[in-house]
């Protein structure tokens, strides 16, 4: 367990104060401003006890006059971790710089607030509001274990750039959705994908390009998206699309034949490009909720699966065909699909496991159990479940907004724990960094685990800053990757919720109380001293009393790690 005494604050003044200096803060011009960045400016993400340096640069100061910059470091709930009065002395042009060494002795989220005497604060940047910058301290990514595609439980949806650093490794996810879909790959004519793939292969190139790489230093695994919310316009019966998705309609005869050829060719290419995976997943449709997401009947939607299931299995012996990617509350659209024979043409069920905040009071666990039961009844036996997208926005303007970045993190982490705890094999988080359509000031696209700090790059940004979800997610994956879910923690009561996970001889309990500010749960323990860990990954050993471990729960998940629990 890291200790506070390990931290030694230091600062370096870049401008010396001469004997002619005015008294401190005697005159701080109204126009004085400052900037600040970390020594990891592309992602501001660190490992435990790594040097975190905050580089301040001020302009508009009075020449040769010292002024104080109030620096405060708080955690995700606003508790002050460190504070300092950092001295800045303007040079002849009123410029000054200084470096502050910030805390990194505990895993977690750190928000740095700074203010000059004239009221100037950290300026907003990209999607990050004014008043602060942030950094995160996470488990060492180089010590993560690769559990292979069969044992990896976490994936991420898009928005990555090499210039961000390897955020997937920092966060501990290994699965990536592999697009694009049919409407892009065969936009103009049937067989377009096969022609482009063959032409690329003749040049020694890969088409389409994949972010997932089975053989990279940090191996990652792909799940292929066969189709998104559109078909090629030439493939559908005219007028059978929907208003939101005008080319998501009934396949015409040309489309039926072309879809078979496309899915077979795409599966053969996927098998060749991801050879080390023990299974290769293929998601066929994307939120085909009726009436907005598909313009035909349930039987006509199932036709996509009948065609794709046969074609994909011909091309890839390790294929797992999955769908239909409904939302967890949309059982009214799902039931007719099973009645039309969907279960005959899927090997796994994919769900976009979105729920409104807070997810527990919006029936996420119950809805997932319902869908699992529906699939079991239709298939005649249990079937794997994959969550291929969910998340919350940290700003207003989205129907899936959480009230701020703290609740965004709580919603994201608790949703993932519920999804995995209820028995899903893999869970995909949405999205790596904020995005926008017209301006970085938009708040409806703030689904990012990171702030997007480049106001000229709405997607695939090269500079990010962490939100509280980053260290919380990194801790969760560190605890739970490679585990098997073994069910609900039976000792939780009331508004407490918890799940038990097992990896080898280690058991991990993930528990929280989604309504009470504080509550207790008593866990039976036999012959050991387990660790209790906060949601950022900081652990302490606690001895049970009379064979029971008393665990305090609140809105943030708590992990208990041991053997006989």
């Amino acid at each position: 367990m890291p200790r506070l005494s390990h931290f030694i604050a230091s600062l370096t003044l870049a401008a010396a104060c001469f004997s002619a200096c005015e008294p401190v803060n005697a005159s701080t011009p109204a126009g004085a401003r400052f900037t600040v960045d970390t020594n990891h400016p592309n992602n501001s993400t660190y490992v435990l006890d790594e040097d975190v340096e905050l580089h301040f640069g001020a302009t508009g100061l009075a020449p040769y006059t010292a002024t104080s910059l109030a620096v405060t470091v708080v955690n995700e709930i606003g508790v002050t971790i460190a504070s300092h009065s950092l001295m800045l002395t303007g040079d002849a042009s009123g410029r000054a710089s200084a470096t502050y060494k910030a805390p990194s002795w505990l895993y977690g989220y750190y928000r740095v607030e700074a203010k000059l005497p004239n009221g100037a604060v950290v300026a907003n940047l990209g999607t990050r509001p004014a008043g602060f910058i942030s950094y995160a301290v996470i488990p060492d990514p180089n010590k993560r274990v690769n559990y292979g595609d069969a044992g990896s439980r976490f994936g991420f949806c898009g928005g990555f750039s090499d210039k961000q650093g390897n955020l997937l490794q920092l966060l501990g996810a290994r699965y990536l959705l592999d697009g694009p879909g049919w409407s892009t790959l065969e936009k103009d004519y049937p067989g377009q994908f096969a022609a482009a793939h063959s032409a690329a292969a003749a040049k020694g190139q890969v088409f389409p390009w994949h972010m997932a790489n089975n053989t990279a230093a940090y191996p990652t695994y792909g799940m292929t998206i066969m189709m998104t919310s559109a078909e090629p316009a030439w493939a559908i019966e005219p007028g059978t699309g929907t208003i939101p998705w005008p080319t998501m309609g009934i396949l015409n005869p040309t489309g039926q034949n072309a879809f078979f050829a496309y899915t077979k060719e795409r599966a053969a290419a996927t098998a060749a490009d991801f050879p080390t995976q023990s299974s290769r997943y293929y998601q066929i449709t994307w939120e085909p909720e009726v009436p907005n997401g598909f313009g035909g009947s349930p039987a006509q939607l199932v036709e996509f699966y009948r065609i794709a299931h046969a074609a994909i299995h011909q091309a890839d012996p390790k294929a797992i065909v999955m769908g239909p990617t409904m939302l967890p509350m949309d059982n009214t659209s799902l039931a007719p699909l099973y009645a039309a024979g969907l279960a005959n043409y899927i090997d796994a069920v994919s769900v976009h496991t979105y729920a409104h905040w807070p997810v527990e009071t919006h029936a996420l666990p119950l809805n997932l159990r319902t869908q699992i039961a529906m699939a079991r009844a239709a298939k005649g036996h249990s079937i794997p479940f994959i969550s291929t997208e969910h998340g919350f926005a940290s700003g207003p303007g989205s129907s899936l907004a959480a009230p701020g970045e703290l609740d965004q993190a709580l919603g994201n982490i608790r949703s993932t724990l519920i999804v995995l705890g209820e028995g899903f094999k893999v869970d995909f988080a949405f999205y790596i960094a904020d995005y926008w359509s017209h301006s970085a000031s938009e708040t409806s696209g703030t689904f990012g685990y990171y702030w997007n700090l480049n106001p000229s790059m709405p997607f695939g940004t090269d500079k990010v800053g962490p939100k509280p979800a980053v260290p919380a997610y990194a801790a969760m994956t560190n605890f739970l990757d490679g585990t098997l879910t073994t069910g609900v923690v039976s000792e939780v009561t009331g508004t407490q919720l918890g799940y038990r996970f097992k990896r080898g001889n280690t058991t991990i309990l993930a528990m929280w109380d989604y309504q009470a500010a504080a509550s207790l749960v008593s866990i039976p323990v036999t012959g050991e001293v387990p660790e209790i860990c906060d949601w950022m990954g900081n652990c302490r050993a606690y001895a049970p009393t009379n064979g029971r471990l008393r665990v305090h729960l609140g809105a943030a998940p708590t992990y208990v790690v041991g053997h006989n629990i």
Side-chain angles (χ1 to χ4, degrees):
M1 171 69 181
R3 299 178 60 183
L4 301 186
S5 59
H6 290 170
F7 172 70
I8 301 175
S10 66
L11 61 89
T12 302
L13 293 179
C17 180
F18 299 99
S19 59
C21 287
E22 297 290 336
V24 173
N25 296 338
S27 176
T28 304
R33 295 290 183 267
F34 68 93
T35 60
V36 59
D37 213 339
T38 70
N39 57 327
H40 287 180
N42 62 329
N43 59 43
S44 297
T45 307
Y46 299 82
V47 301
L48 199 67
D49 289 326
E50 187 176 1
D51 285 344
V52 179
E53 295 179 354
L54 305 177
H55 298 301
F56 292 88
T59 59
L61 300 176
Y64 309 118
T65 300
T67 190
S68 62
L69 178 69
V71 179
T72 303
V73 183
V74 301
N75 66 9
E76 77 278 7
I77 59 173
V79 173
T80 298
I81 305 299
S83 61
H84 195 86
S85 182
L86 189 62
M87 302 309 297
L88 297 170
T89 301
D91 61 13
S93 61
R95 296 178 177 274
S97 61
T99 297
Y100 174 63
K101 188 174 180 181
S104 62
W105 70 85
L106 290 173
Y107 297 124
Y109 170 79
Y110 295 86
R111 179 174 175 140
V112 182
E113 301 166 353
K115 182 183 287 188
L116 284 171
N118 67 356
V121 298
V122 182
N124 68 296
L125 181 63
T127 63
R128 187 187 67 203
F132 70 95
I133 66 166
S134 63
Y135 66 95
V137 178
I138 63 167
D140 188 343
N142 294 315
K143 295 181 180 179
R144 287 190 177 272
V145 176
N146 179 12
Y147 296 100
D149 67 291
S152 297
R153 308 208 66 180
F154 300 96
F156 237 97
C157 299
F160 294 94
S161 163
D162 289 342
K163 293 181 180 179
Q164 300 165 353
N166 193 340
L167 299 188
L168 207 66
Q169 182 175 5
L170 294 177
L171 290 167
R174 289 192 186 266
Y175 271 104
L176 287 158
L177 295 178
D178 187 44
W182 188 27
S183 62
T184 299
L185 294 174
E186 295 199 336
K187 178 182 178 181
D188 302 313
Y189 58 88
Q192 187 175 4
F193 170 73
H197 184 263
S198 296
K203 298 176 183 178
Q205 300 171 349
V206 174
F207 178 84
W209 177 82
H210 309 296
M211 178 168 282
N213 186 343
N214 290 176
T215 60
Y218 181 81
T220 51
Y221 310 108
M223 285 191 179
T224 300
I225 305 300
M226 284 295 194
M227 192 167 67
T228 54
S229 55
E231 306 152 51
W234 51 260
I236 73 168
E237 293 287 355
T240 63
T242 69
I243 292 175
W245 295 353
T247 58
M248 190 61 195
I250 302 168
L251 286 170
N252 61 30
T254 298
Q256 291 181 3
N257 293 330
F259 192 57
F260 182 93
Y262 159 73
T263 52
K264 183 176 181 179
E265 184 75 20
R266 187 85 189 275
T270 298
D273 292 341
F274 299 111
T276 69
Q277 291 184 202
S278 62
S279 299
R280 289 179 283 268
Y281 292 84
Y282 298 87
Q283 182 167 286
I284 306 304
T285 57
W286 192 272
E287 296 183 2
E289 271 83 7
V290 176
N292 292 325
F294 181 67
S297 68
Q300 288 165 331
L301 182 60
V302 169
E303 183 71 1
F304 287 90
Y305 285 86
R306 184 192 67 80
I307 293 170
H309 191 267
I312 292 170
H313 279 285
Q314 284 184 24
D316 184 358
K318 296 181 179 180
I320 296 179
V321 175
M322 63 180 183
T325 325
M326 297 295 193
L327 300 172
M329 72 292 293
D330 196 6
N331 300 322
T332 56
S333 291
L334 189 56
L337 295 178
Y338 283 127
L342 175 66
N344 297 322
Y345 308 116
I346 57 173
D347 310 306
V349 177
S350 56
V351 186
H352 282 180
T353 53
Y354 287 100
H356 292 289
W357 168 261
V359 297
E360 298 85 357
T361 61
H362 286 88
L364 179 60
L366 178 61
N367 284 329
L368 296 183
R369 292 169 193 171
T370 298
Q371 291 213 2
I372 291 170
M374 291 174 68
R376 184 185 300 114
K379 194 75 174 175
H381 55 77
S382 296
I383 184 172
F385 269 68
I386 309 292
S387 166
T388 52
E389 184 181 312
H390 73 83
F392 283 97
S394 60
S398 168
S399 62
L400 289 161
E405 56 263 33
L406 174 58
D407 285 334
Q408 178 201 31
L410 292 170
N412 286 344
I413 300 305
R414 282 163 26 188
S415 292
T416 298
L417 292 174
I418 290 169
V419 166
L420 296 181
E422 292 296 335
F424 280 56
K425 179 176 175 59
V426 179
D427 177 79
F428 277 77
F430 182 89
Y431 196 64
I432 192 60
D434 293 344
Y435 56 90
W436 60 86
S437 298
H438 305 290
S439 167
S441 63
E442 295 171 16
T443 58
S444 59
T446 53
F447 285 85
Y449 278 54
Y450 284 86
W451 304 106
N452 180 341
L453 300 183
N454 187 333
S456 64
M457 296 184 68
F459 290 94
T461 179
D462 57 359
K463 183 174 183 177
V464 296
K467 301 180 188 180
V470 166
Y473 188 90
M476 175 182 64
T477 62
N478 201 46
F479 286 125
L480 299 184
D481 203 22
T483 63
L484 296 174
T485 304
T486 58
V488 174
V489 176
S490 59
E491 291 80 10
V492 297
T493 59
T495 57
Q496 297 173 345
L497 192 58
Y499 297 95
R500 179 175 270 105
F501 302 87
K502 194 169 183 65
R503 183 177 54 236
N505 294 323
T506 300
T507 297
I508 304 101
L509 312 183
M511 301 177 291
W512 65 97
D513 193 320
Y514 56 87
Q515 286 191 336
S519 64
L520 279 172
V521 62
S522 178
I523 304 296
V525 177
T526 303
E528 67 169 312
V529 178
E531 289 187 316
I532 298 179
C533 310
D534 66 23
W535 74 317
M536 298 295 176
N538 301 292
C539 300
R540 289 183 62 186
Y542 281 86
T545 302
N546 298 323
R548 314 254 340 159
L549 186 69
R550 289 165 56 86
V551 184
H552 294 265
L553 301 182
T558 295
Y559 302 94
V560 180
V561 182
H563 301 289
N564 300 310
I565 55 175

